[in-house]
């Protein structure tokens, strides 16, 4: 159809959702589908969190609330951020959003426009690229290579920055690879960016609690060189198994907070108070279920990495965080899309082709191990069969 904003034709989509839709169709046809495609924890939201929302609704919290989020929740976020990163955040710099994705959307509405370059991870979360393209900006791919444990090289990143660069998007631990960017790279990046004071950074830290093997998270906000131009994205979806609740936040530099808030007012108005009260309970209540979930993820990751590396022509590095593995799969030069398609249509296992995360993802599959060990065992057997066919 003609006549729409010309950039709407550029907008991409998230294959994980189309793969989910196809999996549901197959399930309706009576097939038993193992879904390793979607990025959501397979644990229920903890009951204390659910109960706090139920109570909030029973107590009559049914109306609109402040557009930036209720103060008690922003204070709880600031407190949690301090405990984890030792950085003090002014609650008035925090915008509570309907999921972390809204922070990506609002940030790119602020920074994206024709003539502007935005550096984005490749392979990387699909929403970044979609929104850069929609805004008519130019996406500059920052390769995250397997031989580098899916981190980036700060010198390489800095070599991509020029006077058209307005924003750099970073994501650690990362979707789709589980890669963790080491502190030294972030430090070198922060130092190098002193020369480019107009470049902002969107640091997507949504998986920052899900780390293994003693990896420690370093928020980009800990670096004084760039502190006043970092936007942090985080939320409850992954850490607290609250994907469907739609609760996230952005910490914005004071210089741009008011624009982010205006976008929020014009778009989502505010977040349900019951959801926000549940968010407070999640942060301030017991963390036992989070710790249990991370332990279980680590068990599954260890199983998958070992098993995948035993399969012919499959190699998999050990990711430091999140709940994805990103194995390289070499089957007679078949495209990752064809392999993923075959696994879904013939073996009834949903995965996401690496190519949907950028050109550097070709040859890989994203496997979400937010699924019980038994399913992961079946997947490994199917993949082994497929690779030997
Ligand atoms: N950022 C990354 C890297 C993600 O993988 C996701 C979800 O898959 C999000 C942000 C958005 O999460 P949500 O909007 O559910 O908070």
């Amino acid at each position: 159809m003609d006549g729409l904003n010309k950039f709407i034709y550029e907008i991409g989509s998230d294959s994980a959702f189309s793969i989910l839709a196809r999996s549901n169709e197959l399930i309706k046809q009576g097939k038993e589908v193992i879904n390793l495609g979607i990025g959501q924890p397979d644990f229920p939201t903890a009951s204390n969190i659910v109960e706090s929302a139920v109570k909030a609704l029973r107590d009559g919290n049914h109306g609109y609330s402040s557009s930036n989020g209720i103060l008690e929740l922003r204070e709880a976020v600031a407190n949690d951020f301090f405990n984890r990163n030792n950085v003090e955040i002014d609650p008035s710099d925090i915008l509570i959003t309907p999921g972390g994705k809204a922070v990506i959307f609002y940030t790119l509405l602020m920074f994206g426009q024709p003539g502007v370059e935005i550096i984005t991870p490749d392979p990387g979360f699909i929403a970044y690229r979609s929104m850069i393209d929609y805004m008519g900006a130019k996406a500059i791919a920052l390769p995250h290579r397997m031989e580098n444990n899916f981190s980036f090289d700060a010198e390489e990143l800095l070599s991509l920055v020029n006077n058209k660069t307005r924003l750099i998007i970073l994501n650690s631990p990362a979707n789709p690879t589980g890669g963790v960017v080491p502190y030294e790279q972030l430090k070198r990046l922060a130092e190098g960016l002193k020369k480019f004071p107009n470049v902002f950074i969107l640091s997507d830290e949504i998986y920052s609690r899900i780390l293994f093997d003693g990896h420690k998270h370093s928020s980009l906000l800990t670096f004084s060189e760039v502190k006043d131009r970092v936007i942090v994205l985080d939320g409850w979806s992954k850490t607290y198994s609250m994907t469907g609740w739609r609760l996230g936040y952005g910490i914005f530099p004071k210089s741009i907070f008011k624009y982010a808030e205006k976008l929020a007012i014009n778009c989502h108005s505010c977040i349900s108070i019951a959801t926000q009260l549940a968010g407070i309970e999640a942060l301030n209540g017991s963390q036992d279920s989070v710790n249990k979930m991370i332990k279980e993820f680590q068990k599954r990751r260890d199983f998958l990495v070992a098993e995948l590396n035993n399969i012919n022509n499959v190699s998999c590095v050990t990711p430091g965080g999140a709940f994805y593995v990103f194995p390289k799969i070499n089957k007679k030069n078949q495209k990752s899309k064809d392999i993923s398609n075959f696994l879904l249509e013939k073996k009834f296992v949903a995965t996401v082709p690496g190519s949907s995360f950028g050109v550097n993802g070709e040859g890989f599959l994203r496997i979400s191990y937010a699924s019980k060990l038994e399913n992961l065992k079946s997947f490994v057997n199917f993949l082994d069969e497929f690779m030997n066919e």
Side-chain angles (χ1 to χ4, degrees), residues 39 98-102 104 125 128 171 174-175 204 206-207 233-238 243 246-248 324 366:
K101 232 180 204 172
I104 300 171
F125 186 45
Y128 310 143
N171 173 216
N175 176 6
D204 183 342
I206 196 116
Y207 295 100
L233 176 165
D234 204 338
W236 287 256
S237 286
K238 317 290 177 177
T243 49
R246 310 312 300 133
L247 187 64
Y324 309 106
R366 186 189 79 172

Side-chain angles (χ1 to χ4, degrees), residues 276-346:
Q276 295 192 63
L277 292 174
I280 296 176
E281 176 62 25
L283 293 176
N284 294 348
S286 162
Q287 302 297 299
D288 286 356
S289 50
V290 180
N291 296 331
K292 256 197 224 150
M293 177 180 80
I294 295 169
K295 257 197 191 150
E296 180 60 28
F297 281 156
Q298 174 144 8
K299 222 161 69 188
R300 295 173 187 178
R301 179 204 67 162
D302 291 345
F303 166 80
L304 267 181
V305 172
E307 293 292 322
L308 286 168
N309 282 316
N310 278 334
I311 300 177
N312 276 337
N313 296 317
V314 174
S315 53
C316 185
V317 293
T318 305
F323 42 75
Y324 309 106
V325 288
F326 203 62
K328 188 166 179 58
I329 298 188
N330 190 352
K331 167 91 177 174
K332 298 180 190 135
N333 286 327
Q334 276 190 43
K335 297 278 183 217
S336 60
K337 198 165 178 191
D338 298 329
I339 297 177
S340 172
N341 218 16
F342 177 90
L343 288 172
L344 181 56
E345 299 299 329
K346 299 287 188 273

Side-chain angles (χ1 to χ4, degrees), residues 91-262:
S92 62
D93 296 340
I94 298 170
L95 182 70
I96 306 295
T97 52
K101 232 180 204 172
V103 176
I104 300 171
F105 194 71
Y106 297 153
T107 300
L108 287 165
L109 286 176
M110 285 190 273
F111 286 90
Q113 60 177 317
V116 155
E117 294 188 359
I118 296 177
I119 299 174
T120 187
D122 184 334
F125 186 45
I126 299 164
Y128 310 143
R129 181 66 199 244
S130 297
M131 284 305 298
I132 295 170
D133 292 346
Y134 175 61
M135 296 307 297
K138 185 171 175 194
I140 306 294
L142 172 64
H144 284 51
R145 300 186 182 87
M146 185 175 176
E147 42 297 5
N148 214 358
N149 280 324
F150 294 114
S151 174
F152 62 78
D153 177 70
E155 306 311 320
E156 184 175 12
L157 200 177
L158 288 164
S159 76
L160 301 174
V161 180
N162 62 43
N163 59 7
K164 292 192 194 137
T165 312
R166 282 287 164 277
L167 184 71
I168 298 169
I169 304 177
L170 301 180
N171 173 216
S172 174
N175 176 6
T177 61
V180 174
V181 178
Y183 175 87
E184 305 73 55
Q185 295 294 339
L186 294 176
K187 182 75 190 152
R188 277 161 56 202
L189 174 65
E191 298 238 322
L193 283 177
K194 283 201 276 193
K195 275 201 282 181
F196 302 98
N198 295 326
V199 175
F200 279 63
I201 306 137
L202 169 61
S203 181
D204 183 342
E205 303 181 4
I206 196 116
Y207 295 100
S208 56
R209 281 284 298 275
I210 307 175
L211 283 165
F212 313 118
D213 310 325
H215 275 288
K216 258 192 71 61
H217 176 64
S218 313
S219 172
L220 219 66
L221 266 181
T222 48
F223 297 93
S224 56
E225 299 89 335
V226 290
K227 196 170 186 280
D228 56 349
R229 46 203 169 106
V230 170
I231 300 151
V232 167
L233 176 165
D234 204 338
W236 287 256
S237 286
K238 317 290 177 177
T239 310
Y240 296 101
S241 277
M242 291 175 72
T243 49
W245 293 67
R246 310 312 300 133
L247 187 64
Y249 66 85
I251 305 172
F252 288 88
K254 287 205 186 295
S255 58
I256 60 169
F257 183 86
K258 61 175 179 290
Y259 304 115
E261 189 179 15
K262 280 185 187 175

